[in-house]
Amino acid sequence: MLTLDFHPTGRHFLQIPGPSPVPDRVLRAMSYPTIDHRGPEFAALGLKVLADVKKIFKTTQPVIIYPASGTGAWEAALVNTLSAGDHVLMYETGHFAWLWQKLATRLGLKAEVMSYPGSEVWRHGVQAHLIEERLKADTAHAIRAVCVVHNETSTGVTSNIAAVRRAIDAAKHPALLLVDTISGLASADYCHDAWGVDVSISGSQKGLMLPPGISFNAVSAKAVEASKKATLPKSFWAWDEIIEMNKTGYWPSTPNTNLLYALSEACDMLLEHGLDAVFARHHRWAEGVRCAVKVWGLHIQCADPTVYSPVLTGVMMPEGVDADAVRKIIYERFDCSLGTGLGKVKGTMFRIGHLGDCNDLTLMAALAGCEMGLKLAGVKLAGSGVQAAMDYFSSHAATVLSLKAA
Ligand SMILES: *Cc1c(COP(=O)(O)O)cnc(C)c1O
């Protein structure tokens, strides 16, 4: 029999950048009874969550909710807007951007990949001017879509999406702008409408503080128009029937009812708190964690302080230290999960998540686990990062500590 007694006492510290720790309030909401997805009660839930998620994406346009992980919503964005052989311009900021490119290629799209010129691979955000130059050179307008990742979860680097929009406009290019904000949404500011994004892709288990299992496409009118002509095969992922039925709060197939309860609860929490206060909270946690990393004398994976991620911090290991060996010690000795290095950076770095249901003291505990584990692994630390983070948190009061009065 499977026994779930691996973590015998206290709480496990889930400090990976998704799935993130789920608030108890959300877990309790998930335990409501599963109801008839064609019944009257369901429509109220459906309409509520569809209205709430629009506020989170900062859009007045349709948001499609899929019972799938983020990868499904990646696929949905492409199959709804593109046709076989279409040329797409993708920017490789890290492992997730690379995986999206792989998915596009497997769908039969012609993916052209741009990346940071120079040796600091996977340490910078999207360079919008390079996209502008590339689009200007595409005088025939062969490129149908520009695909970028808002918060690259493999590295802890964000990208300036408004700048990418400006680059496309400056090149007077008709390409669609498709943005993966699977881990950025609800931790870093995101403006689907104001930034002129055509399809925004997100998922449940990162900033939205839900378990894995639902994902999103926020769409623009231009994307909906493109979906009418796009010929990549689509049925389950097709937006048209879903958008139509969503008008009355229902879905063509069975939605993920209990995760929608969770979504409703999480949106209440985020919106009651206020999105700006939520973003400030993650920014502050990220600052505290980065203070620790700097005082340890270690490098942060993101080489450009202007695009540090509020969601996670990538911690680079000194030459010769295996990041996964350090993670293993921290997991086995202190019951704390940290994110592994993915793809090209496997073994050279690990990731500390500061998203989901955290607070100053859960992050302090995670940093203490890191500091002890690094020392046990024989890493020479320049100073106490734990002390540095305590100093930061105690000298920078959180701007909003309590919920707004009802
Ligand atoms: C987590 C993540 C994905 C993949 O989503 P799944 O839910 O694992 O399918 C894609 N892109 C980014 C940026 C992510 O953080």
Side-chain angles (χ1 to χ4, degrees):
M1 198 184 102
L2 176 71
T3 53
L4 296 172
D5 61 355
F6 187 77
H7 307 296
T9 55
R11 53 161 296 174
H12 173 67
F13 286 84
L14 183 67
Q15 297 297 151
I16 59 173
S20 59
V22 179
D24 291 350
R25 202 175 138 180
V26 170
L27 289 174
R28 278 194 293 274
M30 284 181 67
S31 69
Y32 299 157
T34 305
I35 53 172
D36 175 4
H37 65 295
R38 306 274 178 227
E41 210 184 345
F42 192 90
L45 172 67
L47 290 172
K48 177 186 183 293
V49 293
L50 287 164
D52 284 351
V53 289
K54 287 186 190 190
K55 294 179 195 155
I56 309 278
F57 278 98
K58 298 192 181 173
T59 183
T60 56
Q61 307 180 80
V63 178
I64 289 99
I65 305 177
Y66 293 110
S69 84
T71 303
W74 261 349
E75 177 156 337
L78 299 176
V79 297
N80 273 286
T81 54
L82 299 163
S83 303
D86 274 357
H87 188 160
V88 293
L89 184 62
M90 306 185 94
Y91 196 106
E92 187 184 322
T93 41
H95 191 66
F96 285 102
W98 181 82
L99 285 177
W100 196 13
Q101 167 277 129
K102 191 173 119 191
L103 185 149
T105 303
R106 289 179 63 148
L107 288 173
L109 296 167
K110 187 169 159 250
E112 174 182 339
V113 181
M114 300 181 79
S115 54
Y116 187 74
S119 58
E120 288 189 325
V121 65
W122 288 14
R123 298 190 65 191
H124 294 263
V126 169
Q127 307 293 301
H129 67 277
L130 296 180
I131 291 184
E132 182 176 334
E133 275 167 32
R134 180 64 190 90
L135 292 179
K136 277 183 174 156
D138 178 37
T139 48
H141 294 169
I143 295 169
R144 308 308 296 263
V146 174
C147 302
V148 292
V149 174
H150 172 223
N151 182 72
E152 179 51 76
T153 324
S154 63
T155 59
V157 179
T158 61
S159 283
N160 185 336
I161 304 305
V164 177
R165 171 80 266 166
R166 285 195 295 273
I168 298 172
D169 293 345
K172 298 192 173 56
H173 199 289
L176 294 164
L177 173 56
L178 311 187
V179 180
D180 168 344
T181 184
I182 292 179
S183 64
L185 192 75
S187 297
D189 193 16
Y190 192 83
C191 308
H192 176 81
D193 286 0
W195 292 347
V197 180
D198 291 302
V199 188
S200 295
I201 298 135
S202 196
S204 56
Q205 77 274 25
K206 316 267 169 100
L208 288 172
M209 312 187 290
L210 307 176
I214 51 177
S215 54
F216 308 86
N217 276 178
V219 301
S220 71
K222 186 173 163 188
V224 171
E225 268 320 297
S227 75
K228 293 175 185 160
K229 297 186 200 97
T231 60
L232 275 176
K234 56 181 175 291
S235 173
F236 176 75
W237 303 114
W239 293 336
D240 53 358
E241 291 179 355
I242 301 173
I243 291 175
E244 193 50 39
M245 283 201 71
N246 276 177
K247 287 177 183 163
T248 51
Y250 297 99
W251 272 263
S253 58
T254 313
N256 217 326
T257 309
N258 291 56
L259 276 173
L260 296 184
Y261 290 142
L263 176 62
S264 169
E265 198 71 17
C267 287
D268 284 351
M269 292 176 75
L270 292 163
L271 297 169
E272 279 164 13
H273 204 58
L275 289 178
D276 288 341
V278 170
F279 303 147
R281 166 173 102 192
H282 291 279
H283 171 77
R284 183 172 164 280
W285 288 335
E287 286 278 319
V289 169
R290 289 191 297 260
C291 281
V293 178
K294 286 173 189 164
V295 168
W296 285 331
L298 300 174
H299 292 293
I300 292 169
Q301 181 71 30
C302 178
D304 177 357
T306 66
V307 289
Y308 277 151
S309 171
V311 178
L312 73 140
T313 299
V315 184
M316 296 172 78
M317 290 298 99
E319 205 54 45
V321 176
D322 176 7
D324 286 335
V326 178
R327 281 178 51 251
K328 186 167 184 279
I329 292 171
I330 296 166
Y331 178 74
E332 290 178 351
R333 292 287 301 273
F334 307 116
D335 202 14
C336 174
S337 293
L338 298 163
T340 185
L342 294 166
K344 274 179 198 165
V345 291
K346 178 138 192 79
T348 68
M349 58 88 86
F350 65 77
R351 298 169 297 150
I352 304 173
H354 22 86
L355 69 170
D357 197 37
C358 297
N359 59 37
D360 290 6
L361 296 186
T362 58
L363 288 172
M364 284 313 312
L367 291 171
C370 290
E371 189 160 313
M372 291 187 285
L374 285 161
K375 283 186 183 164
L376 285 168
V379 179
K380 294 264 174 301
L381 301 178
S384 171
V386 167
Q387 185 62 54
M390 287 198 294
D391 292 345
Y392 179 84
F393 287 136
S394 53
S395 61
H396 293 75
T399 42
V400 180
L401 273 177
S402 56
L403 296 180
K404 270 190 243 155

